[in-house]
């Protein structure tokens, strides 16, 4: 190894080492003097290394998407839409029947006298998507039913959609690498969620399961300047439409924002309004939503929202035709605001109510992420306390330090001065493995610590292979300098073979394993890749530096 090569290799090692130290112990901002104190280094280390649920504590939830409810709602909505489509087309339809239970989802439109079933089916399908439904036309009815294979596909779609929505909602917590995946058999419709470090599991559950069904609907009321028409009870509202609720009307509660509390401090009971159905636009047309303070007070927030272009166009056309009328902002079947339409509105709106900053931000988040396809139920809930995490960390650290101390003593006893070379490579391996975890944003778990320790063992094994080959060369009478290079050359292929085969095994674990298994695989893969650098490149450079000081040594302490 010539002098120029030695300098280049030394610079590479120094650069990689400094980068590793910075990634593990450095701040993610401009350093200050406090970052070089023990407290600052410890704080940076805690911030840089992301700990898993088993180390840091947090929330563990297993939930199930109620896919049967999803299919039931889909069937009922399609039945209502089919009936409305037939009536709008002035077709002789006597009514509809719905079966949505025990794996049977069926819609029947009962035909009136002289009705042509095929014509009714054709007209309904222009407005309602029955693409995957089986159709049966008889002389008295048109029936659509969901085949079992389609039911299975729709249930899987509902679970996948719920996964995406839950992911977007939990991202608001800023948790590093939460575990979110399907759990158990596919038919179970279960989802596993683990959130390390989250200390408020009730807020997690509330946010995940929150409804966010936003609708803008026209209120049945005399136009402005008359006040919006409200009713003191649901029965009074029902009497206003003749005692029977038509399909295109709904009665919803309305809690006025500025209503004064009673003498006992309680809020007055809600009044009721009659609204037109279906809504003008709904939450599926939403583009964005955010919490906005009206006065800067904690309990005086509202939610501003905007629509996508298609929704804005639809909303603009409708408001242009309804200037002077009242519009209801309906959230989860409750009227939050009754707005007087002064002029044409295209893409902006707001929801007023008794919102605090937190509730307004959570509601805005659920609106942005969209509505869950179906309600979810919690099958398992566990909260791992931080004391358990601290115990686990201490046990892992003790195991690592104990193993490291044993290795140090063994290498120094068995390989004497050359053992120092192996220890330098070993310490560098540990540092760079930690830095790689930080760089890739990986989460350290207890299985990850096991992978870390196994990686240390593999690093020691690589050094042992090199040193034993050097010993064999020395016993054969080969000069020291040549014995060193021959030892590295002969051991290199063996080291690569053992590391590559273990990396391939770890990749399979990562691809098919769950969260903890993946943590083990990731840590071990990183340690083995770095081992090729430390055990071969770094150790060889150290021997090269020794030989540069004494090119023809008579003996080697090994």
């Amino acid at each position: 190894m010539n002098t120029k090569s030695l300098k280049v290799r030394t610079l590479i090692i120094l650069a990689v080492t400094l980068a590793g130290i910075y990634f593990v112990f450095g701040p993610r901002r401009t350093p200050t003097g406090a970052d070089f104190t023990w407290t600052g280094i410890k704080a940076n280390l805690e911030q840089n290394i992301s700990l898993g649920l088993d180390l840091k504590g947090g929330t563990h939830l297993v939930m199930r998407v109620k896919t049967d409810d999803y299919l039931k709602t889909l069937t009922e909505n399609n039945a209502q839409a089919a009936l409305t489509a037939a009536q709008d087309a002035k077709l002789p339809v006597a009514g509809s029947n719905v079966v949505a239970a025990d794996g049977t989802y069926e819609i029947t439109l009962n035909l009136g006298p002289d009705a042509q079933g095929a014509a009714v089916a054709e007209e309904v399908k222009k407005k309602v998507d029955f693409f995957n439904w089986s159709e049966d036309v008889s002389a008295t009815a048109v029936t659509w039913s969901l085949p079992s294979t389609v039911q299975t596909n729709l249930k899987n779609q509902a679970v996948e959609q719920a996964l995406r929505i839950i992911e977007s909602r939990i991202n608001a917590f800023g948790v590093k690498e939460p575990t979110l995946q399907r759990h158990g058999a596919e038919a179970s419709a279960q989802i596993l969620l683990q959130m390390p470090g989250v200390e408020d599991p009730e807020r997690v559950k509330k946010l995940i399961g929150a409804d966010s069904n936003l609708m803008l609907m026209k209120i049945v009321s005399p136009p402005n300047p008359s006040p919006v028409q409200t009713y003191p009870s649901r029965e009074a509202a029902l009497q206003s439409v003749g005692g029977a609720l038509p399909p295109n009307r709904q009665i919803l509660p309305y809690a006025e924002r500025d209503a004064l509390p009673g003498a006992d401090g309680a809020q007055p009971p809600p009044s009721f309004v009659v609204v037109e159905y279906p809504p003008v636009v709904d939450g599926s047309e939403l583009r964005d939503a955010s919490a906005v303070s009206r006065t800067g007070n904690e309990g005086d927030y509202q939610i501003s929202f905007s629509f996508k272009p298609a929704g804005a166009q639809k909303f603009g056309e409708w408001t242009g035709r309804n200037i002077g009328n009242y519009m209801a902002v309906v959230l989860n079947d409750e009227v939050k605001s009754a707005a007087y339409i002064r002029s044409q509105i295209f893409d902006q709106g707001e929801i007023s109510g008794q919102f605090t900053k937190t509730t307004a931000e959570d509601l805005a988040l659920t609106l942005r992420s969209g509505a869950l396809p179906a309600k979810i139920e919690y099958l398992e809930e566990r909260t791992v306390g931080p004391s358990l995490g601290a115990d686990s960390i201490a046990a892992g650290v003790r195991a690592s330090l104990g193993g490291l101390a044993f290795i140090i003593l063994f290498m120094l006893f068995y390989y004497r001065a050359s053992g120092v070379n192996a220890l330098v490579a070993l310490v560098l391996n540990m540092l760079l493995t930690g830095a790689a975890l930080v760089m890739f944003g990986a989460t350290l778990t207890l299985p990850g610590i096991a992978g870390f320790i196994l990686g240390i063992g593999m690093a020691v094994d690589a050094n042992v292979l090199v040193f034993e080959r050097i010993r064999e060369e020395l016993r054969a009478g080969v000069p020291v300098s040549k014995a060193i290079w021959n030892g590295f050359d002969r051991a290199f292929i063996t080291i690569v073979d053992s590391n590559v085969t273990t990396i391939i095994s770890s990749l399979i674990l990562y691809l098919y394993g769950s969260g903890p298994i993946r943590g083990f695989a990731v840590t071990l893969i990183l340690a083995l890749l770095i081992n090729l650098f430390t055990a071969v490149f770094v150790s060889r450079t150290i021997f090269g530096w020794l030989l540069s000081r004494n090119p023809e040594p008579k003996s080697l302490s090994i």
Side-chain angles (χ1 to χ4, degrees):
M1 187 179 294
N2 57 47
T3 305
K4 183 179 179 182
S5 173
L6 184 61
K7 287 182 178 177
V8 172
R9 295 168 75 98
T10 303
L11 288 175
I12 292 174
I13 294 171
L14 284 175
V16 172
T17 303
L18 290 175
I21 293 173
Y22 175 77
F23 274 109
V24 175
F25 301 105
R28 296 297 172 264
R29 50 177 166 71
T30 304
T32 64
D35 292 316
F36 298 98
T37 63
W38 171 245
T39 304
I41 292 173
K42 189 177 177 183
N44 291 334
L45 184 63
E46 291 178 351
Q47 184 179 12
N48 295 337
I49 301 291
S50 178
L51 301 179
L53 187 72
D54 49 359
L55 298 178
K56 192 174 184 178
T59 300
H60 169 102
L61 295 172
V62 176
M63 60 197 90
R64 187 180 75 85
V65 182
K66 293 185 175 181
T67 50
D68 291 337
D69 290 358
Y70 169 71
L71 293 184
K72 181 181 178 184
T73 302
L74 175 69
T75 305
E76 291 174 347
N77 288 344
N78 276 5
Q80 179 61 51
L83 182 61
T84 302
Q87 292 174 338
D88 290 346
K90 311 295 184 187
L91 295 171
V93 176
S96 64
N97 295 323
V98 174
V99 178
D102 302 326
T104 300
Y105 300 92
E106 194 173 274
I107 300 169
T108 301
L109 282 186
N110 300 314
L111 303 178
D114 303 326
Q116 298 294 322
V120 171
E122 194 64 27
E123 190 64 33
V124 167
K125 285 190 292 185
K126 290 178 182 177
K127 296 186 176 180
V128 186
D129 183 10
F130 280 121
F131 176 73
N132 288 319
W133 295 63
S134 298
E135 182 178 289
D136 180 51
V137 179
S138 68
T140 58
V142 180
T143 301
W144 291 275
S145 56
L146 266 180
S148 58
T149 54
V150 178
Q151 291 182 32
T152 302
N153 291 336
L154 288 174
K155 288 180 178 178
N156 282 329
Q157 289 175 16
V159 177
E160 293 298 328
Q161 184 182 352
L163 269 171
R164 291 195 298 272
I165 291 172
I166 292 172
E167 183 179 17
S168 66
R169 293 182 178 184
I170 62 175
N171 284 340
F173 285 89
V175 179
K176 286 185 179 179
E177 288 199 19
T179 300
L180 179 65
Q181 60 192 36
R182 295 193 69 158
H183 183 69
E186 190 174 83
S188 67
Q190 293 181 16
I191 294 174
L192 168 68
L193 172 62
Q194 292 182 334
M195 300 184 69
V198 174
E199 299 176 352
D200 190 358
E202 288 304 317
R203 188 185 172 200
V204 176
K205 291 169 60 179
K206 188 175 180 181
L207 188 58
I208 289 175
D211 289 330
S212 60
N213 296 317
L214 175 70
M215 295 183 290
L216 300 186
M217 311 174 82
K218 182 181 179 181
I219 298 178
V220 179
S221 170
N224 187 271
S226 299
V228 62
Q229 179 65 62
T230 62
Y231 301 92
S233 65
R234 187 178 293 276
E235 289 72 22
L238 188 62
Q239 288 302 317
S240 72
V241 291
L245 196 63
N248 61 345
R249 295 285 189 275
Q250 286 187 348
I251 298 174
L252 299 175
Y254 169 41
E256 295 186 53
R257 175 188 174 87
D258 297 324
L260 297 175
D264 56 355
Q267 290 294 327
S271 54
F272 292 84
V273 295
V274 180
V275 295
E276 290 188 356
Y277 184 85
V280 181
V281 289
D282 57 30
S284 63
E285 303 283 0
L286 210 62
R287 183 183 64 186
D288 193 17
S290 59
V292 179
S293 174
R294 291 206 315 173
T295 61
N297 296 326
E298 169 62 23
D300 198 18
Y301 273 74
Q302 62 187 25
I303 296 99
S304 295
F305 58 84
S306 58
F307 290 112
K308 299 173 185 174
Q313 181 66 28
K314 190 192 304 182
F315 189 52
E317 292 174 358
W318 182 84
T319 53
R321 297 193 304 268
N322 286 276
I323 293 174
N325 288 316
Y326 288 95
M327 177 191 69
V329 179
V330 181
L331 184 68
N332 302 331
D333 296 328
E334 183 180 34
V335 177
K336 291 293 184 182
S337 308
Y340 159 52
I341 303 173
R342 298 178 184 274
S343 60
Q344 192 173 18
I345 309 169
F346 279 95
D347 64 347
Q348 299 286 334
E350 62 187 35
I351 305 172
S352 301
Q354 305 295 328
F355 297 116
T356 65
K357 183 175 185 292
T358 300
T359 57
E361 287 177 345
D362 287 353
L363 179 55
L365 175 62
T366 57
L367 288 172
R368 288 198 300 271
S369 61
L372 287 168
K375 289 187 178 298
I376 57 177
E377 63 176 337
Y378 295 96
L379 306 178
E380 182 181 343
E381 176 186 350
R382 285 191 283 121
T383 302
V384 181
S387 59
L388 177 58
D391 292 343
S392 302
I393 294 173
V397 170
R398 283 197 299 271
S400 301
L401 292 179
L404 183 62
F406 177 78
I407 290 171
I408 289 173
L409 291 174
F410 172 80
M411 297 299 284
L412 292 177
F413 173 77
Y414 198 69
Y415 291 111
R416 294 176 287 179
S418 294
V420 177
N421 185 328
L423 295 180
V424 172
L426 185 60
V427 172
L428 190 56
N429 180 289
M430 297 173 66
L431 171 69
L432 296 182
T433 302
L437 288 173
V438 176
M439 282 180 60
F440 291 108
T443 300
L444 185 62
T445 61
L446 271 181
I449 291 177
F452 197 82
I453 296 173
L454 183 55
I456 292 174
M458 295 289 286
V460 173
D461 184 56
N463 284 112
V464 169
L465 283 171
V466 173
F467 291 170
E468 290 303 315
R469 297 294 84 77
I470 294 175
R471 277 183 164 182
E472 290 175 3
E473 294 289 325
L474 292 175
R475 291 193 197 103
V478 177
V480 172
S481 59
K482 191 173 181 180
I484 291 173
W485 303 135
N486 287 348
F488 273 99
D489 292 341
R490 289 177 58 194
F492 179 73
I493 295 300
T494 307
I495 294 172
V496 171
D497 278 350
S498 63
N499 283 14
V500 168
T501 51
T502 310
I503 287 172
I504 292 173
S505 303
S506 300
L507 283 174
I508 294 173
L509 282 178
Y510 180 82
L511 291 175
Y512 295 100
S514 59
I517 302 299
R518 284 187 165 191
F520 171 81
V522 167
T523 311
L524 183 56
I525 290 171
L526 292 175
L528 293 177
L529 290 174
I530 292 168
N531 187 35
L532 293 176
F533 172 75
T534 56
V536 179
F537 189 86
V538 175
S539 290
R540 193 178 181 118
T541 303
I542 294 174
F543 275 117
W545 177 77
L546 292 173
L547 292 176
S548 70
R549 296 169 61 87
N550 182 11
E552 297 295 337
K554 300 299 181 185
S555 62
L556 180 66
S557 177
I558 190 167

